């Protein structure tokens, strides 16, 4: 099964993806994580990516599609993938269709998590993670019980703030989402792949809604005229 988790920054894609990969035994592909990993290399590419991401702009299609191509061809025997933060442009969406085709797979679902802007800003400004175990915190809504110490793994002073989780970068990230990425809602709608889910609610509630969508057969959702479109 191949699934895209779609939505603005802060919608909860990463959180839901992590639960889904364990349930369905599929591989998570987060281009954000892959690009943050690429920054660790002291290469020209790493430095270029770091400066684009810190500003909140999109990394070029060429770089991102190149990373995905490598990953999919390496892992072509996996039973499926969950894409989180990819595709983000129409060119990336087309490339994904072709790449899945080339490894004999296809896209099953696109889940859109929608959350209003005000809530996204609240969630993102002030969030941080434990770099040892990955637990997510928030200054106001979920501070650690003891300052500086992770509730889950007990690590001390290992908290990590993302460089692009500041107001200026977030504005640009949201703009990039509405300008470049949100047209994909229409794109996947005509392929009859899109399922919309309200991203406000508990992690479990949203997880259950996603699983219910996955269970529904495509036929139940299909409208006649979609048959006219060749599905990728
Ligand atoms: P978020 O969804 O919260 O913005 P991500 O980790 O998905 O977080 O992305 C962080 C940054 O990484 C983006 O602002 C962008 O600079 C870069 N990035 C991630 N995925 C892509 C992509 N598919 N295409 C272009 N840039 C990307
Ligand atoms: Zn921890």
């Amino acid at each position: 099964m191949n699934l895209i988790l779609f939505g603005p920054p802060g919608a909860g894609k990463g959180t839901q993806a992590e639960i889904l990969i364990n349930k369905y035994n599929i591989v998570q592909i987060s281009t954000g994580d892959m690009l943050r990993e690429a920054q660790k290399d002291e290469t020209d590419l790493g430095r270029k990516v770091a400066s684009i991401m810190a500003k909140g702009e999109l990394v070029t299609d060429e770089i991102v599609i190149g990373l995905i191509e490598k990953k999919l061809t390496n892992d072509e025997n996996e039973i499926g993938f969950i894409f989180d933060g990819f595709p983000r442009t129409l060119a990336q969406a087309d490339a994904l269709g072709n790449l899945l085709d080339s490894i004999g797979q296809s896209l099953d679902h696109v889940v859109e998590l929608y959350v209003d802007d005000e809530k996204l800003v609240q969630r993102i400004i002030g969030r941080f993670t434990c770099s040892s175990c990955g637990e997510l915190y928030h200054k106001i809504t979920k501070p650690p019980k003891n300052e500086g110490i992770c509730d889950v793994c007990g690590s001390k002073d290992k908290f990590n703030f993302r460089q692009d989780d500041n107001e200026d970068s977030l504005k640009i990230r949201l703009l990039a989402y509405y300008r470049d990425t949100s047209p994909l809602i229409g794109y996947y709608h005509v392929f009859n792949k899109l399922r919309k889910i309200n991203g406000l609610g508990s992690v479990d509630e949203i997880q259950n809604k996603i699983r219910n969508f996955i269970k529904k057969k495509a036929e139940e959702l299909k409208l006649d005229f979609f048959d006219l479109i060749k599905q990728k």
Side-chain angles (χ1 to χ4, degrees):
M1 176 183 69
N2 293 297
L3 182 134
I4 295 174
L5 275 185
F6 188 83
K13 304 181 294 284
T15 305
Q16 295 298 334
E18 237 167 73
I19 309 173
L20 290 165
I21 51 169
N22 292 322
K23 162 85 182 160
Y24 295 101
N25 261 320
I26 50 181
V27 174
Q28 179 181 9
I29 298 190
S30 157
T31 41
D33 288 347
M34 290 163 86
L35 290 165
R36 274 183 288 277
E37 202 53 43
Q39 287 178 36
K40 290 184 186 156
D41 306 336
E42 289 289 304
T43 58
D44 283 347
L45 180 75
R47 277 185 284 272
K48 192 173 150 198
V49 164
S51 100
I52 297 173
M53 285 176 77
K55 280 187 244 162
E57 288 164 0
L58 291 186
V59 173
T60 62
D61 287 338
E62 197 191 349
I63 293 175
V64 174
I65 292 167
L67 285 176
I68 293 285
E69 185 171 6
K70 225 161 108 190
K71 177 88 182 144
L72 286 186
T73 36
N74 273 338
D75 293 358
E76 65 179 332
N77 295 323
E78 294 290 346
I79 59 169
F81 301 95
I82 179 157
F83 298 92
D84 149 18
F86 176 88
R88 258 177 159 91
T89 63
L90 290 167
Q92 291 180 18
D94 278 337
L96 177 62
N98 292 331
L99 284 170
L100 285 173
D101 223 15
S102 73
I103 59 166
Q105 298 206 23
S106 60
L107 190 62
D108 299 288
H109 306 281
V110 180
V111 174
E112 179 201 351
L113 294 173
Y114 60 90
V115 175
D116 64 64
D117 296 341
E118 214 176 312
K119 188 74 190 171
L120 296 172
V121 175
Q122 277 173 19
R123 281 183 179 180
I124 288 182
I125 303 299
R127 77 176 176 183
F128 55 97
T129 50
C130 169
S131 53
S132 302
C133 72
E135 183 68 4
L136 199 62
Y137 293 94
H138 191 283
K139 265 185 192 164
I140 295 161
T141 56
K142 195 192 161 194
K145 290 195 185 80
N146 300 302
E147 210 185 309
I149 298 171
C150 176
D151 296 347
V152 176
C153 73
S155 294
K156 230 178 149 181
D157 298 324
K158 285 280 176 63
F159 293 135
N160 179 42
F161 287 81
R162 255 172 65 173
Q163 232 188 337
D164 56 352
D165 279 352
N166 63 73
E167 263 177 67
D168 286 342
S169 305
L170 180 55
K171 276 184 199 156
I172 296 173
R173 281 156 69 196
L174 283 172
L175 183 68
Y177 177 75
Y178 290 114
R179 185 188 53 205
D180 300 315
T181 308
S182 69
L184 297 183
I185 293 172
Y187 179 97
Y188 286 117
H189 173 69
V190 299
F191 282 104
N192 194 26
K193 305 278 189 199
L194 194 72
R195 320 280 179 252
K196 291 170 185 282
I197 290 179
N198 186 342
L200 287 183
S202 73
V203 170
D204 288 348
E205 269 164 24
I206 296 165
Q207 179 69 204
N208 286 336
K209 285 186 195 165
I210 297 176
R211 289 188 192 179
N212 285 337
F213 272 130
I214 291 172
K215 278 186 223 144
K216 267 192 201 164
K217 287 199 200 90
E219 281 73 17
E220 291 172 38
L221 297 151
K222 206 176 264 176
L223 297 179
D224 281 351
F225 77 91
F226 289 120
D227 295 341
L228 300 172
I229 302 164
K230 242 181 126 190
Q231 299 211 7
K232 275 247 166 94

